[in-house]
Amino acid sequence: MPPLSWDGSAPPSARTETTRELATSVPGLRLRVTAIGAAEVAVRVTGTGRLLLIEAAPAQPVDELPARVRVEWRLPCAGATALWRPNTDTRWLPPSWSTPRTASLASGAAIGSLVGAGDAALCSYAVAERVLPVTIGEGAVEETGEFTSWVEQQGALALRLDLTGRQFSLTLSEMAQWWDDGSVRVPEAAFEPVFCTWYARHLEITAPEVERLAELAAPLGFGALIVDDGWQTAETGRSYATTGDWEPAFPDFAGHVRRVKELGLGYLLWCAPPFAGDRSAAGQRFAGQRLSHLDELETSVVDPGAPEVRAHLVARLTELVEKYELDGLKVDFIDTFARHGGDPEGVHQLLARLRAELPPVLVEHRQPYVGPGLWPYATMVRATDCPHNAAENRQRTADLRLTAGPLAVHADPLTWHPDETPAEIAVLLQNVLFATPQVSVDLAVQSAEQLAALRFWLSVSREHVDLLQRGEFRAHRPELGYPLLAAASGDGRAFGRYAPVPIHPDADWSLLLVANADPDPEVRLSFPQPLGPIGVLVQDPAGATLARTTAEGAELTVRVPRGGLLTLRR
């Protein structure tokens, strides 16, 4: 693609372009639609006030290529503090000449928000397309002080713009509701805490080792076990040379799975559909049907557009689930297809066929393949790898909560040094309070105090799952990494406090939770009117009671230790 012009306009296409300027009632908003490779473009703008739906369709192409549509808009970059995008990148305002991004079925999502002071959405947007690539340009124009954005795709385009100035996370959640057709149903099991073997053992796993970890995990409150990379090979090196055949390397695999499930844990297996390793039969079989070869990982990336590849993957993974009565699959690296030029429609056919052939089991996807086109083929979506990074895990799970629609949002597995304090373990769990927790440590080397902190916060997650994971979610101050997160469900309210910030709940609650992950113990709450009497319970990082009292009034300050929980009841 040629470089962008300095003013943020989309690059010239070297094809016939037909442009229409659109008038709106929004002060400062400039909007235009362009048909690329067509002599005409039909446009319809609906909506009221500052909430617009732009639908544009090109006429028949005038050359041999499919016609495309581009919608561009710009507005004053006044009061802007952050650019929110779903891939959890830096929140800075990029310059208008930055390289555009591409969202497709296998990577990213065509959604974003220019955020202003006080979390106001200056302009949130989403594109309806679920499968085909959407190219997105956005940035601040140095010469004019405007912020310019454009989206472009093949064929007709539908774009929703929200310039209402409401809280940005509310506008993004509404965009996700616009995408959601209500057809996806996620089972309760998708919200159960998960123990994962990856960070705990990497590829050095055996059936006895997995069963040992499962025996320790079950009493702590985990609902499922993910056996990650290593079950299909006896090799322990960090490569993907043995992927692709998807045959268990553990002896008596059926008996092994049965023993884990008898502990009360669901059993999920990791798989990486794009990979056919150099030392696998699949790698030899599909040598002529690959997109590329990754020398450093010793694997090929197979072509999802090849019917033989899709048939092999669907047959092997379906047989694996059915033969061993698995409870689900962790489907990894789908974005690799997009990075190596895989046909989005081929990826779509692969995942649709796999989901149709599988029994109704759990299926985990992860960032960055998070768009609505994948919702029918998954039950949960996980934050991308960020080991030992609590703040990153918090931001990634929060971003996923805003746009994951009906799917359960899972944290990247939490892991820590054996000498970590119970309080810091609690803080790790607090940082993913509004997601389903995953954990991956050697449970056998944890002290009683460490396990107590883990057990307590898993119990909080399970007891309040509707409030924390399915409630109305609000993220605050994206430019500061979300120092405060909140959720509401019925008469329940929950807050995650990650900086010394005050909390301003409404008055319509009977249960209010505050998880304090900040070293400042002075938790300050301001209510819209005097309340009372309020039952106050303060617990330490392992759940032991530190204080139990009553309070009243419009202002309340309670000392809660780092890693502790404040519970208010009316």
Side-chain angles (χ1 to χ4, degrees), residues 154-167:
Q154 179 181 312
L157 186 152
L159 169 71
R160 179 181 167 109
L161 291 180
D162 187 323
L163 301 103
T164 59
R166 296 175 296 158
Q167 215 273 353

Side-chain angles (χ1 to χ4, degrees), residues 100-121:
R101 66 185 176 99
T102 299
S104 69
L105 179 84
S107 183
I111 189 170
S113 182
L114 180 63
V115 184
D119 289 339

Side-chain angles (χ1 to χ4, degrees), residues 235-491:
E235 297 185 12
T236 59
R238 294 282 287 271
S239 86
Y240 295 99
T242 58
T243 57
D245 297 335
W246 308 120
E247 292 282 357
F250 294 176
D252 185 22
F253 194 70
H256 159 68
V257 173
R258 184 179 65 255
R259 287 188 290 274
V260 170
K261 294 181 66 169
E262 286 173 351
L263 297 170
L265 296 174
Y267 194 109
L268 287 77
L269 276 184
W270 169 89
C271 64
F275 293 162
D278 294 352
R279 292 191 290 281
S280 71
Q284 304 303 313
R285 176 182 175 186
F286 299 118
Q289 295 168 307
R290 66 187 189 187
L291 300 173
S292 60
H293 186 266
L294 307 180
D295 294 343
E296 70 281 10
L297 298 180
E298 299 181 274
T299 187
S300 295
V301 178
V302 294
D303 181 4
E308 298 88 345
V309 170
R310 295 198 300 270
H312 164 75
L313 288 170
V314 170
R316 286 300 312 121
L317 296 176
T318 301
E319 181 184 0
L320 191 67
V321 169
E322 293 179 339
K323 181 177 180 179
Y324 298 108
E325 299 183 352
L326 303 181
D327 296 290
L329 295 173
K330 172 182 175 177
V331 181
D332 213 348
F333 293 109
I334 294 299
D335 54 308
T336 305
F337 287 131
R339 291 202 304 273
H340 294 272
D343 172 33
E345 185 55 41
V347 179
H348 190 226
Q349 291 182 34
L350 168 63
L351 295 177
R353 185 175 170 189
L354 177 61
R355 192 59 177 169
E357 295 291 333
L358 284 174
V361 294
L362 300 176
V363 175
E364 179 190 282
H365 288 177
R366 69 176 173 102
Q367 285 180 314
Y369 42 103
V370 297
L374 293 177
W375 291 355
Y377 313 128
T379 57
M380 57 263 212
V381 58
R382 177 180 64 83
T384 200
D385 296 9
C386 48
H388 298 276
N389 196 325
E392 183 81 359
N393 222 340
R394 176 177 78 245
Q395 293 175 68
R396 289 190 175 279
T397 51
D399 289 342
L400 287 172
R401 279 296 306 272
L402 293 175
T403 57
L407 303 186
V409 169
H410 281 228
D412 185 52
L414 304 174
T415 189
W416 55 83
H417 189 275
D419 294 335
E420 189 60 274
T421 66
E424 293 305 318
I425 292 170
V427 167
L428 288 171
L429 287 148
Q430 290 175 326
N431 271 275
V432 297
L433 183 69
F434 301 95
T436 303
Q438 290 198 20
V439 173
S440 187
V441 293
D442 188 346
L443 296 171
V445 302
Q446 306 299 307
S447 68
E449 293 77 15
Q450 290 171 317
L451 292 176
L454 175 57
R455 183 184 298 107
F456 172 62
W457 282 100
L458 291 182
S459 73
V460 172
S461 177
R462 296 179 72 120
E463 179 182 356
H464 301 289
V465 61
D466 285 337
L467 170 58
L468 298 175
Q469 298 185 51
R470 289 192 283 255
E472 183 180 288
F473 179 70
R474 291 290 177 270
H476 297 274
R477 303 299 298 274
E479 76 277 16
L480 299 179
Y482 300 139
L484 185 69
L485 298 175
S489 179
D491 60 358

